[in-house]
Amino acid sequence: MRIREFDEKILSELEQAGYIRRKDLLEVLKTKYAKEKGFSTTSLNRRIGELISAGKIGVIEPAEFAEYGISDEDKRAKYLISGPYADKKRVVDGLIVKSSTGDQFEKRLALKEIKRNLAEYSLNPVQLSHLSTCLGADEDTDKLVIEILHEALLKQRSCIGEEERASLIGDIRQALGAYTLPPVNTSKNLLLEILGFFSDEFVVEMLKVDLERVEGEKELLSKEDDEVRKKTWIKTVYHSKYLIHAFEENIDSLIEQMWKYNEMGKKEGHLDERKIALIIDDLLDYIAENRDKAIYYEKMCGARK
């Protein structure tokens, strides 16, 4: 393989990650290109060292971790970063400032520019946390911020510090309050998937609220059992691979809700409640059948299943 192609594969993987420890980059490259010649640990280490010397790869020292939102207790650790990523970071930092301090027109321009860069640039945890504080300005701004956070977070491959994670989840929870109605809307779905990605229990609380809404939908609940299972909007909102792990973490609560609605349905005039128990039963089936497809943030290492 020519050196240029070799370098392109190393730098491409590095740019997708944003920043990564050298040992992790080596593992990713060796796994991805296991069938190609030249991707031994020795060859990769040597070429990465040469790219560092040539200035095409930079090194993030522990003193710079906070700037990138790197959560790593090993203060001897160093992270690799591509030269273009470092340049792009400075540009995106400026755009995030504009998106939080500019007028509505300027905010929109800045957010659209950030969105256009997502294919080539991975937002770091500090940037994601700062961006989430822009939520709540107006619906158009929120739509862009939510789309950016959803796309950036759900492909996150690095650790997010506890402080940034708590800040993000808090902002997302608060924003969701403005988008609970209509029952099915894009912003609500994306916000729920972000919370589900972090296995946040608020997903279950939101489901309970929505099930109460279904109680008032007499036309839906008057249908046959199979029709209720197929046509409920609960399925559209909550049958998502990004919510599965959040539900698994709170499975006892879901099962308790199912039996609660079953008992309510035994009372005279309350047969509809048993239809809601069927909706929960359908969700439990989805969780059990798609467990291996769940995508979520792993708190210990930042990886996702």
Side-chain angles (χ1 to χ4, degrees):
M1 182 184 297
R2 290 179 296 181
I3 290 178
R4 182 177 176 180
E5 292 177 8
F6 195 56
D7 289 355
E8 283 175 355
K9 289 181 176 178
I10 294 172
L11 293 171
S12 173
E13 201 60 45
L14 185 54
E15 284 168 13
Q16 285 182 47
Y19 52 82
I20 190 171
R21 288 189 72 161
R22 188 169 183 150
K23 63 178 180 131
D24 294 331
L25 178 60
L26 289 170
E27 285 304 313
V28 169
L29 287 165
K30 285 195 303 180
T31 300
K32 191 169 184 177
Y33 300 105
K35 296 181 181 180
E36 296 190 29
K37 292 181 180 179
F39 282 86
S40 66
T41 300
T42 302
S43 298
L44 285 167
N45 251 326
R46 181 172 58 249
R47 192 55 194 155
I48 288 170
E50 290 168 351
L51 288 169
I52 291 171
S53 298
K56 293 184 178 180
I57 292 179
V59 179
I60 304 173
E61 302 285 346
E64 302 171 283
F65 283 5
E67 182 185 346
Y68 287 87
I70 295 174
S71 177
D72 196 324
E73 294 180 1
D74 183 357
K75 299 308 175 186
R76 297 170 300 173
K78 295 181 181 181
Y79 283 74
L80 302 182
I81 186 172
S82 72
Y85 183 91
D87 294 337
K88 187 71 76 175
K89 177 187 176 297
R90 286 187 284 272
V91 172
V92 173
D93 281 342
L95 290 169
I96 289 175
V97 171
K98 283 185 172 67
S99 66
S100 59
T101 61
D103 58 32
Q104 187 174 353
F105 182 80
E106 191 171 36
K107 284 179 180 179
R108 185 169 178 79
L109 289 180
L111 288 167
K112 288 195 72 177
E113 183 61 17
I114 292 171
K115 194 170 188 293
R116 281 191 289 267
N117 278 288
L118 288 179
E120 302 172 352
Y121 178 84
S122 297
L123 293 167
N124 67 51
V126 170
Q127 291 171 331
L128 289 164
S129 181
H130 287 167
L131 199 57
S132 71
T133 63
C134 299
L135 288 167
D138 59 79
E139 192 169 338
D140 287 339
T141 301
D142 278 1
K143 182 176 183 293
L144 280 168
V145 174
I146 292 166
E147 288 173 353
I148 292 167
L149 290 173
H150 185 271
E151 184 175 342
L153 281 166
L154 301 192
K155 67 177 182 182
Q156 188 71 25
R157 291 167 54 183
S158 56
C159 276
I160 301 175
E162 208 170 303
E163 187 176 334
E164 286 84 13
R165 198 163 67 241
S167 176
L168 274 166
I169 291 172
D171 290 338
I172 297 299
R173 280 186 173 194
Q174 186 170 345
L176 183 56
Y179 297 100
T180 58
L181 294 172
V184 180
N185 68 80
T186 302
S187 290
K188 175 183 177 179
N189 282 23
L190 297 182
L191 289 167
L192 277 170
E193 287 190 340
I194 293 171
L195 291 175
F197 179 67
F198 287 115
S199 304
D200 189 63
E201 63 185 7
F202 198 72
V203 169
V204 179
E205 296 306 310
M206 194 67 239
L207 172 64
K208 290 178 182 177
V209 171
D210 278 340
L211 289 172
E212 289 173 5
R213 290 194 175 108
V214 174
E215 285 185 64
E217 297 183 4
K218 300 303 180 185
E219 185 179 345
L220 170 68
L221 298 179
S222 66
K223 297 180 182 298
E224 296 297 320
D225 291 356
D226 286 345
E227 284 292 290
V228 172
R229 287 178 183 272
K230 290 175 185 175
K231 295 189 175 179
T232 172
W233 53 266
I234 292 289
K235 192 169 187 174
T236 304
V237 178
Y238 291 95
H239 286 211
S240 165
K241 59 188 176 182
Y242 297 108
L243 304 185
I244 291 172
H245 195 251
F247 286 133
E248 282 193 305
E249 293 278 282
N250 297 275
I251 201 74
D252 289 345
S253 178
L254 273 182
I255 293 170
E256 182 183 337
Q257 283 292 305
M258 181 180 68
W259 288 114
K260 183 190 86 170
Y261 278 110
N262 173 68
E263 288 302 312
M264 289 167 61
K266 291 179 180 180
K267 298 176 183 177
E268 188 176 350
H270 287 268
L271 188 60
D272 286 353
E273 271 83 346
R274 281 197 158 177
K275 301 288 180 72
I276 298 174
L278 283 178
I279 292 171
I280 301 174
D281 178 62
D282 194 49
L283 177 58
L284 289 168
D285 279 346
Y286 173 79
I287 294 164
E289 291 164 8
N290 295 277
R291 188 170 285 117
D292 60 337
K293 297 177 184 175
I295 297 178
Y296 61 96
Y297 177 83
E298 174 54 63
K299 297 181 180 68
M300 295 302 292
C301 63
R304 58 189 178 90
K305 300 295 184 184

